[in-house]
Amino acid sequence: MSRVSRMKRLSFDAVNRVEKCQNLQNRFDGQKVAQKVSGYTFHQDTDLLYTSLARERSRHKKKRLVQSPNSYFMDVKCTGCCTITTIFSHAQTVVPCAGCSLILCQPAGGKCRLTEGCAFRKKKS
């Protein structure tokens, strides 16, 4: 084996080791990891007990540290007659106003879509 081909072989092995480390790092993203791959050790320090609020919100509702639903009740103020109606955030039916029959929200697959101009606030549990 010539010297040039041996150098190419060594550089190819080094690239493979780095790629393996990056793949492992992507697989264990968000966890405390110390892995040794072909002589290389890497550490990824993330605190599992005190994760950021944005990261917790993006997780599935059953995989959070404390399970919590994504749905909520909200008070919606009608633009026509200014009455307040309580609506579920994931309503699956059209909700009309009790006073003037104006449509307050429409289902949209997940969360309901409020009529433009309606003010709302989340109800405290």
Side-chain angles (χ1 to χ4, degrees):
M1 188 179 261
S2 70
R3 184 175 180 199
V4 174
S5 62
R6 189 176 302 136
M7 293 292 282
K8 285 182 182 178
R9 178 81 176 145
L10 287 175
S11 64
F12 181 73
D13 288 341
V15 169
N16 281 342
R17 287 180 187 162
V18 170
E19 286 177 357
K20 285 181 185 178
C21 286
Q22 288 173 347
N23 289 340
L24 276 173
Q25 191 171 10
N26 291 339
R27 189 170 7 145
F28 293 107
D29 187 33
Q31 298 177 8
K32 201 166 200 173
V33 176
Q35 290 286 333
K36 191 168 187 176
V37 178
S38 303
Y40 291 99
T41 304
F42 68 91
H43 297 275
Q44 182 177 0
D45 295 327
T46 57
D47 198 348
L48 295 175
L49 289 177
Y50 302 103
T51 56
S52 67
L53 185 62
R55 186 158 175 90
E56 279 296 307
R57 275 267 142 224
S58 67
R59 283 197 177 144
H60 187 268
K61 63 183 179 179
K62 292 200 171 229
K63 294 188 178 181
R64 296 179 185 141
L65 286 176
V66 177
Q67 293 181 5
S68 61
N70 295 329
S71 58
Y72 50 89
F73 287 94
M74 55 187 169
D75 287 331
V76 178
K77 187 175 183 181
C78 178
T79 56
C81 61
C82 294
T83 58
I84 295 176
T85 309
T86 301
I87 297 177
F88 186 58
S89 65
H90 290 67
Q92 296 180 351
T93 59
V94 174
V95 179
C97 176
C100 63
S101 299
L102 180 74
I103 294 176
L104 296 177
C105 74
Q106 294 180 339
K111 289 186 177 180
C112 63
R113 188 167 20 106
L114 292 176
T115 304
E116 199 154 328
C118 288
F120 78 98
R121 69 170 176 221
K122 285 186 183 181
K123 285 194 120 175
K124 295 182 180 177
S125 51

